[in-house]
Amino acid sequence: MATSPSTAFSGSDVSAEFGALKTRLDSIERTQERLSAEFEALKTQFTQLETDRGPGFEEYLGFYPRCAWLTFFSSQQRLPARLHNSRATIMKATLKTPVAANGKPAPGFPTSRGEFEHITKERYEALLKAYGQPLKGDTEAKREALRAFAGIPQDGQ
């Protein structure tokens, strides 16, 4: 929708736009709070089910053990960071830190693609460990494992 320059910055239009944006932001924040509460309730339920279960419990209910569900939810929380990182094709591009299994960002994650390409073997190992990933191979193999996990494209992609 195009607006003419004379009406684009009128006080009433800006106020109305700001109000609409604030309403949308409030709605998004409420949804995030609700989803977070639902996720915490699910974790509590699965912890209780894990404690109360008997032989063949997963097969009876037809779903995976608690750890599989928590892994699924953790991977869903990582999607926004991985999507953002997938567009990091130049060295100055910023990176977002995927959350670790505890739901918090892993400490020491690089802030840019250039930094990612030049961190030490020990730092790659620490990050892979924080994400529960295998620590196999040389520095290049660890870089590629972390690259795949964090959604960072290879050179030329």
Side-chain angles (χ1 to χ4, degrees):
M1 177 171 94
T3 58
S4 66
S6 62
T7 61
F9 297 105
S10 70
S12 62
D13 287 344
V14 171
S15 296
E17 288 289 322
F18 181 74
L21 289 174
K22 177 147 180 32
T23 301
R24 288 178 61 199
L25 180 60
D26 291 342
S27 173
I28 291 169
E29 288 174 347
R30 283 192 306 273
T31 301
Q32 287 176 329
E33 289 170 3
R34 181 183 53 81
L35 290 173
S36 179
E38 288 177 9
F39 178 67
E40 290 303 318
L42 281 172
K43 285 196 315 189
T44 302
Q45 287 176 348
F46 284 117
T47 301
Q48 185 63 37
L49 288 173
E50 181 79 7
T51 304
D52 295 345
R53 73 178 188 173
F57 179 74
E58 286 88 9
E59 295 82 9
Y60 174 72
L61 291 179
F63 61 78
Y64 297 105
R66 174 179 162 262
C67 60
W69 281 99
L70 292 179
T71 300
F72 170 76
F73 286 118
S74 294
S75 67
Q76 295 300 306
Q77 289 179 317
R78 293 183 187 117
L79 287 177
R82 294 188 80 229
L83 177 62
H84 173 86
N85 294 344
S86 71
R87 294 176 289 202
T89 56
I90 61 171
M91 292 300 174
K92 291 182 181 181
T94 61
L95 298 177
K96 287 194 175 188
T97 306
V99 296
N102 63 5
K104 297 179 182 176
F109 195 84
T111 58
S112 70
R113 168 80 186 262
E115 183 183 354
F116 173 83
E117 300 294 340
H118 297 96
I119 61 178
T120 65
K121 175 182 175 182
E122 293 77 21
R123 197 161 157 202
Y124 285 123
E125 288 174 355
L127 288 166
L128 287 168
K129 186 176 180 180
Y131 290 122
Q133 300 297 303
L135 302 175
K136 297 177 184 173
D138 60 1
T139 303
E140 183 62 26
K142 291 175 181 164
R143 178 183 301 120
E144 291 309 311
L146 186 58
R147 178 188 314 279
F149 180 82
I152 301 168
Q154 294 180 343
D155 292 332
Q157 287 187 349

